[in-house]
Amino acid sequence: MRTAETSLWRTRVRGSLLLAACADALGSAFEGRRGLSPEQVAAAVDRPQSPLRWTDDTAQMLVLAAHLAEHGGLVASDALAAAFADEWSAEPWRGYGPGAAQLLSQIATGVPWRVAGRSLFDGAGSLGNGAAMRVAPVGLITGWGLDAVASAAVASALVTHVHPEGIDGAVAQALAVALAARTPRRQRPSAEELIGAIASRTATAAFTAELEAIPALLDGPAGAISDRFRCDATALGAVPAAITVFLRYPDDPAAAVKEAIGLGGDTDTIAAMAAAMCGAHCGDSAVPASWAAQLEQPERVRAAADRLATLESRRYLGEADA
Ligand code: AR6
Ligand code: MG
């Protein structure tokens, strides 16, 4: 890959991870609330007054980014499960979902991830949005086709989320980020193309039905989005809402984050997922200065992004040289 292309890609990877981290932190103040007023959300988002502390969403996203960088872009399941469990053990207070905490504590004490994941929710496995909220790095690997992105998303999900809807959430989010990153900056992402690419690679009829609802929500009031989607901690309730918000504001992360938070419910996660898409499309120049100034450990996020972006340019060069 030429230097200019590498640097352009790096800005997108940085933009995606930084905006996801900022949005996660901004949204966490409102998690679980409903009926938020736009003024209330704008006051907190436009001029954050206190440090932006991220939650389990960003903690796990950074683990996955580091894992992909270390393993040549591939998912080594045992090592990834152990890395998530280590992260949870080190900072269990980040706001993990109840199923996730139960699962990661089992893995930390030696239970194999295959056994632990199946034990959740009476054997159904988790259909939470946790595999989706952390998956952006999978969509930010250069040189990969969309089928490879979808396969890696499945592999990354399976170590914690075995329910088909939890897996579909990760596939959808990874593909949305991948397509956002592949859309020229001045071009508006095509809703039809994005929805089609996701619908053809997700497995459940339930997810397809939610995706099909998106086009009717692209114009009109945000209230129609929260009327249609549950906007909760499930993959089905959160990921289609995040995609809808991104498609409404692909070039405007601040507007996207405000709208995502305003939906209520799982505000940190829906905002983080929509922002990851915006950042992949716009690059890091779109990160509002007031957010960057307050973000917790910004250098750690940038370093994770740069390792991911550099990994890809090395891989690309290696293929070209072969
Ligand atoms: N049946 C019914 N409800 C379920 C099921 C199921 N099979 N699976 C999940 N849920 P969890 P995550 C519901 O705990 O996916 C943090 O706040 C259930 O209500 O596996 O990592 C993050 O910020 C459960 O509590 O964790 C994210 O918002 C919820 O889905 C979120 O949690 C989450 O599933 C990530 O959640
Ligand atoms: Mg959340």
Side-chain angles (χ1 to χ4, degrees):
M1 186 185 284
R2 289 198 306 273
T3 309
E5 287 172 38
T6 307
S7 129
L8 190 59
W9 188 257
R10 189 170 55 225
T11 68
R12 287 171 179 254
V13 180
R14 278 186 174 192
S16 186
L17 300 196
L18 282 166
L19 279 170
C22 290
D24 171 24
L26 287 163
S28 67
F30 298 96
E31 191 174 14
R33 291 168 64 184
R34 302 272 177 184
L36 295 160
S37 76
E39 295 75 23
Q40 195 181 3
V41 175
V45 170
D46 285 335
R47 288 169 300 282
Q49 296 302 315
S50 48
L52 294 179
R53 301 226 170 276
W54 66 62
T55 77
D56 56 315
D57 299 40
T58 300
Q60 291 188 51
M61 180 182 76
L62 294 176
V63 167
L64 182 54
H67 180 88
L68 293 169
E70 274 163 31
H71 293 82
L74 302 177
V75 172
S77 303
D78 291 349
L80 181 61
F84 286 139
D86 286 349
E87 178 66 33
W88 171 80
S89 299
E91 298 184 334
W93 44 264
R94 289 264 182 202
Y96 286 79
Q102 190 188 325
L103 169 110
L104 294 170
S105 68
Q106 287 186 51
I107 295 173
T109 54
V111 178
W113 57 266
R114 283 187 181 81
V115 176
R118 285 266 163 231
S119 74
L120 297 182
F121 300 101
D122 297 324
S126 177
L127 48 71
N129 60 30
M133 73 192 183
R134 67 185 183 218
V135 81
V138 169
L140 296 167
I141 300 179
T142 44
W144 277 18
L146 297 182
D147 288 335
V149 170
S151 301
V154 172
S156 76
L158 274 174
V159 299
T160 52
H161 290 67
V162 297
H163 192 289
E165 289 174 17
I167 297 168
D168 271 357
V171 171
Q173 174 69 11
L175 287 168
V177 168
L179 283 161
R182 285 155 179 73
T183 304
R185 175 77 175 80
R186 306 266 162 237
Q187 190 179 310
R188 200 174 173 86
S190 155
E192 196 185 346
E193 191 188 326
L194 195 144
I195 292 164
I198 295 172
S200 65
R201 292 175 178 87
T202 43
T204 65
F207 217 91
T208 305
E210 301 308 276
L211 291 169
E212 284 171 355
I214 292 175
L217 300 168
L218 295 180
D219 302 306
I225 306 171
S226 47
D227 286 345
R228 177 61 184 79
F229 302 126
R230 289 196 310 271
C231 302
D232 60 7
T234 66
L236 207 58
V239 180
I243 293 171
T244 305
V245 170
F246 164 65
L247 288 170
R248 286 161 65 94
Y249 299 105
D251 297 321
D252 191 342
V257 167
K258 280 185 258 191
E259 182 162 282
I261 293 174
L263 299 176
D266 197 356
T267 47
D268 57 334
T269 301
I270 297 173
M273 292 192 294
M277 298 173 215
C278 291
H281 185 234
C282 300
D284 60 353
S285 62
V287 181
S290 65
W291 298 0
Q294 294 283 14
L295 181 65
E296 172 191 357
Q297 303 180 57
E299 288 313 322
R300 185 174 158 205
V301 181
R302 278 195 201 92
D306 290 355
R307 280 187 74 197
L308 198 59
T310 309
L311 153 85
E312 282 325 299
S313 53
R314 276 208 306 269
R315 177 176 179 272
Y316 189 97
L317 276 172
E319 284 178 356
D321 290 343

